[in-house]
Amino acid sequence: MSNTPQKPAGTTRVISEELGEKLVVGEITPAEFLGLSREMLYEIATRGHDMLKTGKLQDALDIFKGLVAASPHDSVFHCNLASTYAHLEKYAEAKAEYSRALELNIGNVDALVGRSELFLREGNVPAALQDIQAALKLDPEAKRENTKRARATLTILQNAEAAKK
């Protein structure tokens, strides 16, 4: 009997040369290569949100970094990663991820609102207002929580400007 550990039966996966080539040249994502469906990825993202809400920031960061690596063209995953960076007070990384999310989907309201808050943090009110107005245009009834927050921020900014006069 050998002392070499044995692999459990059925864990070896044969990878086709064609799939490997498609991954290498960027025709498929790592998630597609691994056979992870969009539903599976979003189930993992839900777990990441739970981690974020319960203050397990490093775990959330690991999950969202993994999702971005697995599906690099998904705007939502970049936005989630950005939010996690913001919670960790890594603002430059957060702004870069929000911007990437918007490059992939200019209509990502959550990314617009998140980035606007980072612009305000930097004192860049014109850029913040531009993102807030874009978010409010996309969600004029403020159905999303982030849009409600953006609307409140806009009101505060308008009141501050009126008080100066």
Side-chain angles (χ1 to χ4, degrees), residues 93-119:
E93 293 92 336
K95 191 163 82 172
E97 288 299 327
Y98 281 132
S99 294
R100 180 65 181 136
L102 290 165
E103 288 170 12
L104 294 167
N105 177 8
I106 192 62
N108 186 325
V109 172
D110 296 331
L112 284 164
V113 174
R115 190 173 72 174
S116 76
E117 292 169 346
L118 295 175
F119 281 138

Side-chain angles (χ1 to χ4, degrees), residues 76-138:
V76 173
F77 298 151
H78 284 277
C79 188
N80 291 328
L81 179 56
S83 178
T84 306
Y85 278 134
H87 278 84
L88 288 164
E89 299 180 1
K90 295 183 176 188
Y91 301 117
E93 293 92 336
K95 191 163 82 172
E97 288 299 327
Y98 281 132
S99 294
R100 180 65 181 136
L102 290 165
E103 288 170 12
L104 294 167
N105 177 8
I106 192 62
N108 186 325
V109 172
D110 296 331
L112 284 164
V113 174
R115 190 173 72 174
S116 76
E117 292 169 346
L118 295 175
F119 281 138
L120 282 175
R121 182 176 232 347
E122 296 172 346
N124 188 345
V125 176
L129 284 172
Q130 187 175 356
D131 279 357
I132 289 170
Q133 289 166 342
L136 292 174
K137 191 173 186 177
L138 291 165

Side-chain angles (χ1 to χ4, degrees), residues 35-56:
L36 298 172
S37 69
R38 183 172 168 85
E39 292 77 23
M40 293 168 92
L41 295 172
Y42 276 83
E43 283 179 29
I44 295 167
T46 298
R47 290 188 184 148
H49 282 286
D50 293 342
M51 300 288 182
L52 193 57
K53 286 191 280 187
T54 58
K56 297 176 182 170

